[in-house]
Amino acid sequence: MKADEFISAIDDEEVIRAIQKAESRTSGEIRVLVTGRKVEDPVREAWKQFARLKMDRTEKRNGVLILIAPVSRSFAVVGDEGIHRCCEDSFWRTLASRLAEGFKAGGYTGALVRAIEDSGLELSRHFPGGGENKNELSDEVVRDRHGAGE
């Protein structure tokens, strides 16, 4: 599948609903970014975008970013220092493995939804919601179509 087809295959509304449901149980924040650019180092790019999206400014430093780079056939999942301190590396490896399996099977939206659900569950264990749980960041899927199809 070409990158622009992958980008179009993701159902934004379903992903947004999954983010909202996951965030309803936690003070954590989850974002998804799909880029049409070629990414040499997806983890480094994810951290760059994490800062650009101001995810490093959440009150409890508990944001999770899922970056998808179809042109490079790569992705990364990164978590801010608050959630990273609470999780073992095995959590992040398992999350990435499940995401990769879902993408290989062609279930792009489903794989993202499962990764969001898993992230939300882990966030809720360490950063439960409730009370004045405000949404600090947009739930919209960030789409960077620049370079798609190259």
Side-chain angles (χ1 to χ4, degrees):
M1 173 178 281
K2 290 184 178 181
D4 53 349
E5 293 171 345
F6 179 98
I7 291 170
S8 298
I10 295 171
D11 182 340
D12 284 23
E13 294 305 315
E14 191 173 341
V15 171
I16 291 167
R17 281 192 300 275
I19 291 170
Q20 291 170 339
K21 183 177 178 184
E23 289 182 357
S24 72
R25 297 183 298 259
T26 178
S27 64
E29 296 289 331
I30 302 168
R31 305 270 341 242
V32 172
L33 184 147
V34 182
T35 182
R37 293 182 292 115
K38 184 171 181 145
V39 173
E40 297 298 325
D41 182 341
V43 173
R44 191 160 103 203
E45 182 66 19
W47 283 118
K48 177 180 165 187
Q49 296 302 326
F50 196 92
R52 184 183 71 79
L53 295 170
K54 299 179 178 26
M55 293 186 69
D56 56 348
R57 297 183 188 173
T58 61
E59 182 180 340
K60 296 183 180 177
R61 302 295 302 264
N62 56 357
V64 173
L65 175 64
I66 302 170
L67 176 129
I68 312 297
V71 171
S72 308
R73 296 183 179 262
S74 62
F75 66 90
V77 182
V78 296
D80 206 351
E81 62 187 37
I83 185 61
H84 189 70
R85 253 192 324 263
C86 298
C87 299
E88 295 186 18
D89 286 338
S90 62
F91 168 74
W92 302 106
R93 283 193 303 271
T94 300
L95 189 65
S97 177
R98 288 181 185 156
L99 195 54
E101 289 170 13
F103 287 164
K104 285 177 186 171
Y108 310 114
T109 298
L112 277 172
V113 167
R114 282 186 297 282
I116 291 163
E117 291 169 346
D118 290 346
S119 297
L121 182 60
E122 191 69 17
L123 283 164
S124 70
R125 287 183 183 136
H126 306 288
F127 301 95
E132 297 179 24
N133 184 20
K134 66 179 182 175
N135 193 14
E136 295 180 75
L137 301 170
S138 171
D139 298 331
E140 298 297 315
V141 175
V142 179
R143 290 176 170 273
D144 171 11
R145 292 183 184 263
H146 176 74
E150 291 178 355

